[in-house]
């Protein structure tokens, strides 16, 4: 840890809207050159945290040092070293890709090469197209390109792939990994655990305004101390069942009428579950087993799923 250079230090950030506290004293550090993910369900406070880090919302308490500058005192300096893509970025629909990039670049003394940027964002054949004719994925890549015209070192992306189809999401993942390869530090928010797993070196899990875990994706899953999850329902009423007593079970979760058993010994747990069900004349349905994932880490820590439904 000690040898890592901390490019962002978040110190006790608090944000209150009226009498509702959306961010409750969040603290974390981001290492230079990593992809850092803020993961959590809708309403967790991810966007509010990100917006404070980029100077769009004023913290009620606490601060952050971003690229060496304090966001509450040196925001102008912060803005020179960061690039920001927000969910709500609205683009001038009638301009072409090339025109809007030149326009944005003209606001800054330092600029990257626009033709190179267009190629890197895989927009080469859309260079002269009007923005309104672009697909969702292309618009999103353009929004990222706009965040990069002044060659920032730290890039903030708010839910960069929400609403995109699977292929467009994957293209965007490649672009984020390319930026990392070029030495940029990337902070992104997401509620997709697969995305967090693929992209992020470390993940901070947020829930109800608090940071509830921070680690590498694989360590977060390892900390569950369960390799597998067994999911099922009972066809009939089952309030009496003592699922904790099933062999091999490390944790029990449930969401409505679906039960999840975490286990470090899948075979033992399955055998024991089926025996218990038949002893008590319960019928198991929708039985599935899977490797434990980040979704399980979240479910275990909060009793809720990242995405409802
Ligand atoms: P996330 O990005 O994790 O979905 P947000 O930071 O957008 O979470 O929101 C956190 C909470 O703060 C939510 O309950 C949201 O409704 C509330 N919130 C966000 N912005 C405002 C605002 N401008 N006024 C009042 N409440 C807000």
């Amino acid at each position: 840890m000690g040898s890592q250079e901390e490019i962002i230090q978040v110190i006790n950030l608090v944000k209150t809207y009226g009498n509702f506290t959306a961010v409750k004293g969040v603290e974390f550090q981001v290492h230079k050159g990593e992809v850092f993910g803020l993961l959590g369900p809708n309403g967790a406070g991810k966007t509010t945290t990100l917006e404070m880090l980029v100077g769009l919302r004023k913290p009620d308490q606490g601060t952050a040092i971003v690229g060496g500058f304090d966001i509450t005192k040196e925001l102008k300096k912060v803005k020179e070293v960061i690039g920001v893509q927000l969910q709500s970025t609205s683009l001038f629909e009638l301009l072409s890709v090339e025109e809007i990039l030149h326009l944005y670049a003209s606001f800054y003394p330092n600029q990257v090469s626009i033709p190179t940027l267009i190629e890197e964002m895989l927009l080469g054949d859309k260079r002269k197209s009007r923005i309104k004719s672009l697909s969702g994925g292309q618009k999103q890549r353009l929004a990222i390109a706009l965040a990069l015209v002044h060659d920032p070192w730290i890039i903030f992306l708010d839910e960069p792939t929400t609403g995109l189809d699977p292929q467009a999401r994957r293209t965007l993942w490649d672009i984020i990994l390319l930026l990392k390869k070029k030495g940029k530090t990337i902070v992104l928010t997401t509620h997709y655990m697969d995305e967090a797993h693929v992209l992020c070196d470390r993940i901070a899990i947020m829930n109800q305004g608090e940071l509830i875990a921070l680690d590498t994706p694989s360590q977060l899953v390892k900390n569950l101390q369960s390799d597998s999850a067994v999911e099922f329902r009972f066809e009939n009423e089952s309030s009496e069942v003592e699922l904790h007593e099933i062999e091999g079970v490390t944790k029990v979760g449930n969401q409505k009428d679906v039960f999840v058993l975490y286990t470090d010994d899948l075979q033992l747990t399955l055998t024991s579950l089926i025996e218990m069900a038949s002893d008590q004349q319960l019928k198991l349905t929708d039985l599935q087993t899977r490797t434990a994932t980040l979704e399980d880490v979240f479910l275990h820590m909060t009793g809720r799923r990242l995405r409802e439904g």
Side-chain angles (χ1 to χ4, degrees), residues 17 20 22 41-48 57:
Y17 299 116
F20 171 73
N42 280 330
K46 306 181 297 294
T47 299
T48 303
R57 287 184 202 262

Side-chain angles (χ1 to χ4, degrees), residues 3-287:
S3 63
Q4 299 273 12
E5 192 181 332
E6 310 294 5
I7 202 161
I8 301 176
Q9 290 170 53
V10 179
I11 306 153
N12 188 34
L13 272 185
V14 175
K15 182 72 196 177
T16 301
Y17 299 116
N19 56 10
F20 171 73
T21 306
V23 176
K24 303 173 181 164
V26 162
E27 299 210 302
F28 59 86
Q29 276 108 39
V30 177
H31 306 324
K32 185 164 190 279
E34 77 177 338
V35 180
F36 186 92
L38 279 173
L39 178 73
N42 280 330
K46 306 181 297 294
T47 299
T48 303
T49 301
L50 194 107
E51 289 182 346
M52 286 190 279
L53 294 181
V54 303
L56 286 168
R57 287 184 202 262
K58 228 170 118 48
D60 293 307
Q61 277 179 51
T63 189
I65 312 297
V66 175
F69 305 109
D70 189 320
I71 56 164
T72 58
K73 296 185 196 130
E74 301 164 287
L75 193 52
K76 226 173 140 222
K77 295 271 189 198
V78 171
K79 289 195 169 166
E80 287 170 16
V81 299
I82 66 172
V84 184
Q85 170 266 318
L86 295 173
Q87 284 179 68
S88 53
T89 306
S90 55
L91 304 166
F92 301 97
E93 298 264 290
L94 293 177
L95 293 182
S96 72
V97 166
E98 213 170 45
E99 284 166 345
I100 194 169
L101 282 164
H102 281 293
L103 175 67
Y104 270 58
S106 71
F107 304 148
Y108 295 98
N110 293 334
Q111 305 166 13
V112 296
S113 147
I114 300 295
T116 310
L117 184 57
I118 288 176
E119 288 307 319
E120 281 175 353
M121 295 300 125
L122 308 176
L123 291 167
D125 52 349
K126 294 286 161 189
R127 212 159 40 92
K128 302 222 177 277
S129 304
R130 286 193 179 188
I131 292 164
K132 68 175 185 185
S133 71
L134 301 181
S135 70
Q138 289 161 348
K139 276 190 181 149
Q140 196 61 319
R141 300 206 296 278
L142 176 60
I144 294 176
L146 291 171
L148 298 176
V149 290
H150 57 300
D151 202 18
W153 342 319
I154 311 172
I155 301 159
F156 292 90
L157 307 172
D158 194 13
E159 306 243 345
T161 67
T162 293
L164 301 185
D165 64 55
Q167 200 191 332
R169 287 182 73 207
R170 272 159 210 282
T171 306
L172 212 69
W173 292 357
D174 288 341
I175 283 181
I176 293 169
L177 292 172
L178 170 81
L179 294 172
K180 174 185 152 130
K181 219 165 158 188
K182 294 177 74 173
K184 309 287 186 193
T185 304
I186 297 153
V187 178
L188 61 88
T189 69
T190 183
H191 58 266
Y192 296 116
M193 55 107 189
D194 58 340
E195 177 161 296
H197 211 139
V198 170
L199 291 179
C200 298
D201 296 297
R202 292 188 310 141
I203 296 171
I205 301 184
M206 278 192 85
N207 189 43
Q208 297 180 348
E210 294 179 278
L211 211 97
I212 57 171
L214 196 170
D215 218 320
T216 62
S218 58
Q219 196 58 45
L220 284 169
V221 175
K222 244 187 232 155
N223 291 348
L224 256 186
Q225 295 184 310
S226 311
D227 315 322
S228 310
V230 180
E231 268 192 29
F232 57 92
R233 287 175 219 261
F234 290 114
E235 222 173 64
N236 29 11
E237 191 50 47
S238 54
S239 50
E240 307 294 303
V241 189
E242 281 297 338
L243 295 171
H244 289 276
E245 289 169 12
I246 292 173
E247 290 180 79
V249 170
T250 50
K251 264 133 212 162
V252 178
N254 80 296
Q255 183 82 3
K256 296 188 191 131
D257 59 340
V258 180
F259 293 94
V260 188
L261 304 182
Y262 296 105
T263 173
D264 51 14
D265 189 334
L266 181 59
Q267 188 166 347
L268 184 65
T269 294
L270 276 177
T271 317
S272 171
L273 171 67
I274 289 166
E275 258 173 32
M276 181 223 62
S278 72
D279 283 352
Q280 302 192 25
Q281 300 185 330
L282 292 168
K283 189 142 192 256
L284 296 167
T285 70
D286 302 332
L287 179 72

